[in-house]
Amino acid sequence: MMNQILTVCGILCVFFAVIGIFLPVLPTTPWLLLAAWLFYKGNPKMRVWLLNNKYLGPYINNYVRYKAIPLKSKIVSISLLWVTILISVFLVSMLWLRILLLCVALAVTIHLLMIKTLK
């Protein structure tokens, strides 16, 4: 029963990670790392699938092996983050929400910049 729960949670994490590829506020790599851990505990076959996946595997492998993110991923992530946040800031009329959105964008940007860059 526990293996099934861990597997379902892992699948949900993969789902959130894939959404995070397109929504820069939702980080991809942490969700994939959590999914890999959940699959490690609950369904090793799913973990192997995830690590060998053509599209998702490199996110995990680069981070686990090198503790780094490729420069292209950083540039794309930060650019998309700021474009979407700035659009949201202009569409929202409440000042406190604008400030909150900008603070979140700044925090995510700092976090991404603090992670080593894969060369």
Side-chain angles (χ1 to χ4, degrees):
M1 176 82 162
M2 185 55 86
N3 289 345
Q4 292 170 336
I5 292 171
L6 292 172
T7 299
V8 169
C9 289
I11 291 169
L12 285 172
C13 289
V14 171
F15 175 74
F16 290 137
V18 170
I19 291 172
I21 292 171
F22 304 102
L23 294 176
V25 177
L26 189 62
T28 299
T29 304
W31 286 111
L32 289 175
L33 292 172
L34 180 56
W37 182 82
L38 290 166
F39 289 149
Y40 174 78
K41 294 290 187 181
N43 190 333
K45 288 182 183 179
M46 289 292 289
R47 182 172 186 268
V48 169
W49 168 81
L50 183 61
L51 293 175
N52 292 323
N53 184 280
K54 178 180 176 181
Y55 301 105
L56 302 176
Y59 283 101
I60 300 168
N61 292 321
N62 285 336
Y63 191 79
V64 170
R65 283 189 191 146
Y66 309 111
K67 300 283 190 246
I69 299 173
L71 180 61
K72 181 180 176 183
S73 294
K74 278 188 176 185
I75 292 170
V76 169
S77 297
I78 292 171
S79 299
L80 286 173
L81 168 71
W82 281 99
V83 166
T84 56
I85 290 293
L86 289 174
I87 290 170
S88 298
V89 164
F90 288 115
L91 294 176
V92 171
S93 61
M94 295 174 275
L95 179 62
W96 68 269
L97 190 51
R98 287 180 175 178
I99 293 170
L100 178 64
L101 288 169
L102 292 171
C103 288
V104 168
L106 183 62
V108 172
T109 301
I110 291 169
H111 172 71
L112 287 171
L113 292 174
M114 290 177 69
I115 297 172
K116 288 192 299 187
T117 303
L118 185 64
K119 296 178 182 173

PDB file of all heavy atoms in Angstrom, residues 67-95:
ATOM      1  N   LYS A  67      25.634  19.296  -9.265  1.00  0.00           N
ATOM      2  CA  LYS A  67      25.016  20.341  -8.440  1.00  0.00           C
ATOM      3  C   LYS A  67      24.980  21.655  -9.206  1.00  0.00           C
ATOM      4  O   LYS A  67      25.273  22.729  -8.681  1.00  0.00           O
ATOM      5  CB  LYS A  67      25.768  20.540  -7.122  1.00  0.00           C
ATOM      6  CG  LYS A  67      25.838  19.316  -6.256  1.00  0.00           C
ATOM      7  CD  LYS A  67      24.539  19.073  -5.555  1.00  0.00           C
ATOM      8  CE  LYS A  67      24.675  17.998  -4.521  1.00  0.00           C
ATOM      9  NZ  LYS A  67      23.937  16.809  -4.806  1.00  0.00           N
ATOM     10  N   ALA A  68      24.606  21.562 -10.501  1.00  0.00           N
ATOM     11  CA  ALA A  68      24.637  22.728 -11.373  1.00  0.00           C
ATOM     12  C   ALA A  68      23.500  22.670 -12.391  1.00  0.00           C
ATOM     13  O   ALA A  68      22.922  21.614 -12.631  1.00  0.00           O
ATOM     14  CB  ALA A  68      25.977  22.791 -12.094  1.00  0.00           C
ATOM     15  N   ILE A  69      23.213  23.845 -12.969  1.00  0.00           N
ATOM     16  CA  ILE A  69      22.196  23.993 -13.997  1.00  0.00           C
ATOM     17  C   ILE A  69      22.881  24.569 -15.239  1.00  0.00           C
ATOM     18  O   ILE A  69      23.691  25.489 -15.114  1.00  0.00           O
ATOM     19  CB  ILE A  69      21.078  24.943 -13.526  1.00  0.00           C
ATOM     20  CG1 ILE A  69      20.386  24.400 -12.281  1.00  0.00           C
ATOM     21  CG2 ILE A  69      20.057  25.185 -14.630  1.00  0.00           C
ATOM     22  CD1 ILE A  69      19.385  25.367 -11.679  1.00  0.00           C
ATOM     23  N   PRO A  70      22.556  24.070 -16.432  1.00  0.00           N
ATOM     24  CA  PRO A  70      23.157  24.638 -17.647  1.00  0.00           C
ATOM     25  C   PRO A  70      22.823  26.122 -17.802  1.00  0.00           C
ATOM     26  O   PRO A  70      21.736  26.574 -17.417  1.00  0.00           O
ATOM     27  CB  PRO A  70      22.506  23.827 -18.783  1.00  0.00           C
ATOM     28  CG  PRO A  70      22.020  22.576 -18.147  1.00  0.00           C
ATOM     29  CD  PRO A  70      21.681  22.940 -16.727  1.00  0.00           C
ATOM     30  N   LEU A  71      23.749  26.872 -18.378  1.00  0.00           N
ATOM     31  CA  LEU A  71      23.575  28.312 -18.556  1.00  0.00           C
ATOM     32  C   LEU A  71      22.311  28.622 -19.351  1.00  0.00           C
ATOM     33  O   LEU A  71      21.557  29.534 -19.007  1.00  0.00           O
ATOM     34  CB  LEU A  71      24.802  28.910 -19.252  1.00  0.00           C
ATOM     35  CG  LEU A  71      24.744  30.418 -19.507  1.00  0.00           C
ATOM     36  CD1 LEU A  71      24.624  31.174 -18.196  1.00  0.00           C
ATOM     37  CD2 LEU A  71      25.976  30.865 -20.288  1.00  0.00           C
ATOM     38  N   LYS A  72      22.070  27.863 -20.398  1.00  0.00           N
ATOM     39  CA  LYS A  72      20.880  28.097 -21.229  1.00  0.00           C
ATOM     40  C   LYS A  72      19.607  27.968 -20.391  1.00  0.00           C
ATOM     41  O   LYS A  72      18.686  28.778 -20.520  1.00  0.00           O
ATOM     42  CB  LYS A  72      20.844  27.117 -22.393  1.00  0.00           C
ATOM     43  CG  LYS A  72      19.665  27.309 -23.303  1.00  0.00           C
ATOM     44  CD  LYS A  72      19.667  26.317 -24.451  1.00  0.00           C
ATOM     45  CE  LYS A  72      18.418  26.470 -25.297  1.00  0.00           C
ATOM     46  NZ  LYS A  72      18.340  25.489 -26.365  1.00  0.00           N
ATOM     47  N   SER A  73      19.551  26.973 -19.519  1.00  0.00           N
ATOM     48  CA  SER A  73      18.374  26.788 -18.665  1.00  0.00           C
ATOM     49  C   SER A  73      18.204  27.969 -17.714  1.00  0.00           C
ATOM     50  O   SER A  73      17.080  28.413 -17.458  1.00  0.00           O
ATOM     51  CB  SER A  73      18.493  25.501 -17.860  1.00  0.00           C
ATOM     52  OG  SER A  73      18.460  24.393 -18.700  1.00  0.00           O
ATOM     53  N   LYS A  74      19.308  28.471 -17.183  1.00  0.00           N
ATOM     54  CA  LYS A  74      19.223  29.629 -16.288  1.00  0.00           C
ATOM     55  C   LYS A  74      18.682  30.848 -17.033  1.00  0.00           C
ATOM     56  O   LYS A  74      17.796  31.546 -16.540  1.00  0.00           O
ATOM     57  CB  LYS A  74      20.596  29.970 -15.712  1.00  0.00           C
ATOM     58  CG  LYS A  74      21.002  29.151 -14.539  1.00  0.00           C
ATOM     59  CD  LYS A  74      22.280  29.715 -13.951  1.00  0.00           C
ATOM     60  CE  LYS A  74      22.668  28.985 -12.706  1.00  0.00           C
ATOM     61  NZ  LYS A  74      23.840  29.585 -12.056  1.00  0.00           N
ATOM     62  N   ILE A  75      19.219  31.089 -18.219  1.00  0.00           N
ATOM     63  CA  ILE A  75      18.804  32.267 -18.991  1.00  0.00           C
ATOM     64  C   ILE A  75      17.330  32.174 -19.358  1.00  0.00           C
ATOM     65  O   ILE A  75      16.571  33.134 -19.179  1.00  0.00           O
ATOM     66  CB  ILE A  75      19.681  32.429 -20.250  1.00  0.00           C
ATOM     67  CG1 ILE A  75      21.106  32.807 -19.836  1.00  0.00           C
ATOM     68  CG2 ILE A  75      19.101  33.472 -21.196  1.00  0.00           C
ATOM     69  CD1 ILE A  75      22.118  32.752 -20.964  1.00  0.00           C
ATOM     70  N   VAL A  76      16.920  31.018 -19.856  1.00  0.00           N
ATOM     71  CA  VAL A  76      15.516  30.840 -20.244  1.00  0.00           C
ATOM     72  C   VAL A  76      14.605  30.961 -19.024  1.00  0.00           C
ATOM     73  O   VAL A  76      13.574  31.648 -19.072  1.00  0.00           O
ATOM     74  CB  VAL A  76      15.318  29.485 -20.963  1.00  0.00           C
ATOM     75  CG1 VAL A  76      13.847  29.157 -21.127  1.00  0.00           C
ATOM     76  CG2 VAL A  76      16.019  29.483 -22.309  1.00  0.00           C
ATOM     77  N   SER A  77      14.978  30.324 -17.930  1.00  0.00           N
ATOM     78  CA  SER A  77      14.141  30.356 -16.720  1.00  0.00           C
ATOM     79  C   SER A  77      13.977  31.769 -16.180  1.00  0.00           C
ATOM     80  O   SER A  77      12.855  32.205 -15.885  1.00  0.00           O
ATOM     81  CB  SER A  77      14.753  29.475 -15.632  1.00  0.00           C
ATOM     82  OG  SER A  77      14.780  28.148 -16.035  1.00  0.00           O
ATOM     83  N   ILE A  78      15.072  32.473 -16.056  1.00  0.00           N
ATOM     84  CA  ILE A  78      15.009  33.828 -15.500  1.00  0.00           C
ATOM     85  C   ILE A  78      14.266  34.766 -16.447  1.00  0.00           C
ATOM     86  O   ILE A  78      13.455  35.588 -16.009  1.00  0.00           O
ATOM     87  CB  ILE A  78      16.424  34.345 -15.158  1.00  0.00           C
ATOM     88  CG1 ILE A  78      16.986  33.538 -13.985  1.00  0.00           C
ATOM     89  CG2 ILE A  78      16.394  35.833 -14.826  1.00  0.00           C
ATOM     90  CD1 ILE A  78      18.454  33.801 -13.687  1.00  0.00           C
ATOM     91  N   SER A  79      14.486  34.619 -17.729  1.00  0.00           N
ATOM     92  CA  SER A  79      13.793  35.470 -18.711  1.00  0.00           C
ATOM     93  C   SER A  79      12.284  35.237 -18.678  1.00  0.00           C
ATOM     94  O   SER A  79      11.500  36.192 -18.603  1.00  0.00           O
ATOM     95  CB  SER A  79      14.317  35.202 -20.126  1.00  0.00           C
ATOM     96  OG  SER A  79      15.684  35.483 -20.204  1.00  0.00           O
ATOM     97  N   LEU A  80      11.886  33.976 -18.741  1.00  0.00           N
ATOM     98  CA  LEU A  80      10.456  33.671 -18.698  1.00  0.00           C
ATOM     99  C   LEU A  80       9.833  34.085 -17.372  1.00  0.00           C
ATOM    100  O   LEU A  80       8.698  34.566 -17.331  1.00  0.00           O
ATOM    101  CB  LEU A  80      10.229  32.183 -18.943  1.00  0.00           C
ATOM    102  CG  LEU A  80      10.412  31.707 -20.380  1.00  0.00           C
ATOM    103  CD1 LEU A  80      10.315  30.188 -20.456  1.00  0.00           C
ATOM    104  CD2 LEU A  80       9.388  32.342 -21.294  1.00  0.00           C
ATOM    105  N   LEU A  81      10.581  33.900 -16.302  1.00  0.00           N
ATOM    106  CA  LEU A  81      10.095  34.309 -14.987  1.00  0.00           C
ATOM    107  C   LEU A  81       9.738  35.787 -14.992  1.00  0.00           C
ATOM    108  O   LEU A  81       8.633  36.175 -14.619  1.00  0.00           O
ATOM    109  CB  LEU A  81      11.153  34.022 -13.923  1.00  0.00           C
ATOM    110  CG  LEU A  81      10.918  34.634 -12.550  1.00  0.00           C
ATOM    111  CD1 LEU A  81       9.767  33.947 -11.857  1.00  0.00           C
ATOM    112  CD2 LEU A  81      12.172  34.551 -11.711  1.00  0.00           C
ATOM    113  N   TRP A  82      10.665  36.632 -15.443  1.00  0.00           N
ATOM    114  CA  TRP A  82      10.442  38.070 -15.392  1.00  0.00           C
ATOM    115  C   TRP A  82       9.386  38.532 -16.383  1.00  0.00           C
ATOM    116  O   TRP A  82       8.604  39.433 -16.076  1.00  0.00           O
ATOM    117  CB  TRP A  82      11.757  38.829 -15.556  1.00  0.00           C
ATOM    118  CG  TRP A  82      12.497  38.821 -14.255  1.00  0.00           C
ATOM    119  CD1 TRP A  82      13.514  38.004 -13.890  1.00  0.00           C
ATOM    120  CD2 TRP A  82      12.200  39.625 -13.112  1.00  0.00           C
ATOM    121  NE1 TRP A  82      13.882  38.253 -12.590  1.00  0.00           N
ATOM    122  CE2 TRP A  82      13.102  39.250 -12.084  1.00  0.00           C
ATOM    123  CE3 TRP A  82      11.268  40.623 -12.841  1.00  0.00           C
ATOM    124  CZ2 TRP A  82      13.091  39.843 -10.834  1.00  0.00           C
ATOM    125  CZ3 TRP A  82      11.266  41.212 -11.587  1.00  0.00           C
ATOM    126  CH2 TRP A  82      12.165  40.829 -10.600  1.00  0.00           C
ATOM    127  N   VAL A  83       9.321  37.904 -17.548  1.00  0.00           N
ATOM    128  CA  VAL A  83       8.280  38.271 -18.511  1.00  0.00           C
ATOM    129  C   VAL A  83       6.900  37.988 -17.921  1.00  0.00           C
ATOM    130  O   VAL A  83       6.013  38.851 -17.943  1.00  0.00           O
ATOM    131  CB  VAL A  83       8.476  37.525 -19.853  1.00  0.00           C
ATOM    132  CG1 VAL A  83       7.241  37.627 -20.730  1.00  0.00           C
ATOM    133  CG2 VAL A  83       9.693  38.073 -20.588  1.00  0.00           C
ATOM    134  N   THR A  84       6.718  36.796 -17.383  1.00  0.00           N
ATOM    135  CA  THR A  84       5.394  36.447 -16.846  1.00  0.00           C
ATOM    136  C   THR A  84       5.054  37.251 -15.588  1.00  0.00           C
ATOM    137  O   THR A  84       3.906  37.661 -15.413  1.00  0.00           O
ATOM    138  CB  THR A  84       5.287  34.938 -16.544  1.00  0.00           C
ATOM    139  OG1 THR A  84       6.326  34.552 -15.646  1.00  0.00           O
ATOM    140  CG2 THR A  84       5.361  34.122 -17.807  1.00  0.00           C
ATOM    141  N   ILE A  85       6.042  37.488 -14.748  1.00  0.00           N
ATOM    142  CA  ILE A  85       5.778  38.276 -13.538  1.00  0.00           C
ATOM    143  C   ILE A  85       5.434  39.721 -13.898  1.00  0.00           C
ATOM    144  O   ILE A  85       4.488  40.296 -13.348  1.00  0.00           O
ATOM    145  CB  ILE A  85       6.979  38.225 -12.566  1.00  0.00           C
ATOM    146  CG1 ILE A  85       7.117  36.849 -11.938  1.00  0.00           C
ATOM    147  CG2 ILE A  85       6.863  39.304 -11.483  1.00  0.00           C
ATOM    148  CD1 ILE A  85       6.003  36.446 -10.991  1.00  0.00           C
ATOM    149  N   LEU A  86       6.171  40.296 -14.830  1.00  0.00           N
ATOM    150  CA  LEU A  86       5.889  41.693 -15.205  1.00  0.00           C
ATOM    151  C   LEU A  86       4.528  41.830 -15.864  1.00  0.00           C
ATOM    152  O   LEU A  86       3.806  42.809 -15.626  1.00  0.00           O
ATOM    153  CB  LEU A  86       7.002  42.236 -16.096  1.00  0.00           C
ATOM    154  CG  LEU A  86       8.338  42.483 -15.377  1.00  0.00           C
ATOM    155  CD1 LEU A  86       9.413  42.889 -16.367  1.00  0.00           C
ATOM    156  CD2 LEU A  86       8.178  43.510 -14.269  1.00  0.00           C
ATOM    157  N   ILE A  87       4.147  40.861 -16.674  1.00  0.00           N
ATOM    158  CA  ILE A  87       2.796  40.882 -17.252  1.00  0.00           C
ATOM    159  C   ILE A  87       1.765  40.826 -16.134  1.00  0.00           C
ATOM    160  O   ILE A  87       0.792  41.590 -16.134  1.00  0.00           O
ATOM    161  CB  ILE A  87       2.608  39.718 -18.254  1.00  0.00           C
ATOM    162  CG1 ILE A  87       3.433  39.966 -19.516  1.00  0.00           C
ATOM    163  CG2 ILE A  87       1.133  39.538 -18.605  1.00  0.00           C
ATOM    164  CD1 ILE A  87       3.506  38.782 -20.461  1.00  0.00           C
ATOM    165  N   SER A  88       1.993  39.946 -15.171  1.00  0.00           N
ATOM    166  CA  SER A  88       1.062  39.827 -14.043  1.00  0.00           C
ATOM    167  C   SER A  88       1.001  41.113 -13.226  1.00  0.00           C
ATOM    168  O   SER A  88      -0.080  41.534 -12.805  1.00  0.00           O
ATOM    169  CB  SER A  88       1.482  38.670 -13.134  1.00  0.00           C
ATOM    170  OG  SER A  88       1.447  37.464 -13.833  1.00  0.00           O
ATOM    171  N   VAL A  89       2.140  41.726 -13.024  1.00  0.00           N
ATOM    172  CA  VAL A  89       2.189  42.974 -12.246  1.00  0.00           C
ATOM    173  C   VAL A  89       1.358  44.060 -12.931  1.00  0.00           C
ATOM    174  O   VAL A  89       0.632  44.812 -12.270  1.00  0.00           O
ATOM    175  CB  VAL A  89       3.654  43.436 -12.043  1.00  0.00           C
ATOM    176  CG1 VAL A  89       3.734  44.879 -11.602  1.00  0.00           C
ATOM    177  CG2 VAL A  89       4.347  42.535 -11.036  1.00  0.00           C
ATOM    178  N   PHE A  90       1.431  44.130 -14.251  1.00  0.00           N
ATOM    179  CA  PHE A  90       0.661  45.149 -14.960  1.00  0.00           C
ATOM    180  C   PHE A  90      -0.838  44.828 -15.008  1.00  0.00           C
ATOM    181  O   PHE A  90      -1.655  45.726 -15.128  1.00  0.00           O
ATOM    182  CB  PHE A  90       1.204  45.347 -16.374  1.00  0.00           C
ATOM    183  CG  PHE A  90       2.521  46.057 -16.391  1.00  0.00           C
ATOM    184  CD1 PHE A  90       3.660  45.419 -16.833  1.00  0.00           C
ATOM    185  CD2 PHE A  90       2.638  47.360 -15.934  1.00  0.00           C
ATOM    186  CE1 PHE A  90       4.883  46.063 -16.830  1.00  0.00           C
ATOM    187  CE2 PHE A  90       3.850  48.019 -15.925  1.00  0.00           C
ATOM    188  CZ  PHE A  90       4.981  47.373 -16.373  1.00  0.00           C
ATOM    189  N   LEU A  91      -1.194  43.567 -14.879  1.00  0.00           N
ATOM    190  CA  LEU A  91      -2.602  43.175 -14.916  1.00  0.00           C
ATOM    191  C   LEU A  91      -3.284  43.247 -13.555  1.00  0.00           C
ATOM    192  O   LEU A  91      -4.505  43.292 -13.474  1.00  0.00           O
ATOM    193  CB  LEU A  91      -2.744  41.752 -15.478  1.00  0.00           C
ATOM    194  CG  LEU A  91      -2.352  41.583 -16.944  1.00  0.00           C
ATOM    195  CD1 LEU A  91      -2.435  40.123 -17.350  1.00  0.00           C
ATOM    196  CD2 LEU A  91      -3.234  42.446 -17.848  1.00  0.00           C
ATOM    197  N   VAL A  92      -2.489  43.264 -12.492  1.00  0.00           N
ATOM    198  CA  VAL A  92      -3.029  43.284 -11.130  1.00  0.00           C
ATOM    199  C   VAL A  92      -3.116  44.728 -10.659  1.00  0.00           C
ATOM    200  O   VAL A  92      -2.191  45.508 -10.853  1.00  0.00           O
ATOM    201  CB  VAL A  92      -2.125  42.464 -10.185  1.00  0.00           C
ATOM    202  CG1 VAL A  92      -2.533  42.639  -8.745  1.00  0.00           C
ATOM    203  CG2 VAL A  92      -2.152  41.008 -10.588  1.00  0.00           C
ATOM    204  N   SER A  93      -4.210  45.058 -10.008  1.00  0.00           N
ATOM    205  CA  SER A  93      -4.380  46.446  -9.561  1.00  0.00           C
ATOM    206  C   SER A  93      -3.977  46.672  -8.102  1.00  0.00           C
ATOM    207  O   SER A  93      -3.748  47.799  -7.693  1.00  0.00           O
ATOM    208  CB  SER A  93      -5.839  46.878  -9.765  1.00  0.00           C
ATOM    209  OG  SER A  93      -6.689  46.058  -8.995  1.00  0.00           O
ATOM    210  N   MET A  94      -3.883  45.596  -7.322  1.00  0.00           N
ATOM    211  CA  MET A  94      -3.566  45.743  -5.898  1.00  0.00           C
ATOM    212  C   MET A  94      -2.056  45.912  -5.694  1.00  0.00           C
ATOM    213  O   MET A  94      -1.272  45.060  -6.127  1.00  0.00           O
ATOM    214  CB  MET A  94      -4.059  44.522  -5.125  1.00  0.00           C
ATOM    215  CG  MET A  94      -5.573  44.394  -5.140  1.00  0.00           C
ATOM    216  SD  MET A  94      -6.131  42.873  -4.379  1.00  0.00           S
ATOM    217  CE  MET A  94      -6.016  41.770  -5.765  1.00  0.00           C
ATOM    218  N   LEU A  95      -1.676  46.979  -5.037  1.00  0.00           N
ATOM    219  CA  LEU A  95      -0.264  47.289  -4.832  1.00  0.00           C
ATOM    220  C   LEU A  95       0.448  46.192  -4.059  1.00  0.00           C
ATOM    221  O   LEU A  95       1.562  45.798  -4.417  1.00  0.00           O
ATOM    222  CB  LEU A  95      -0.119  48.634  -4.114  1.00  0.00           C
ATOM    223  CG  LEU A  95       1.321  49.060  -3.828  1.00  0.00           C
ATOM    224  CD1 LEU A  95       2.095  49.233  -5.132  1.00  0.00           C
ATOM    225  CD2 LEU A  95       1.346  50.326  -3.005  1.00  0.00           C
TER     226      LEU A  95
END
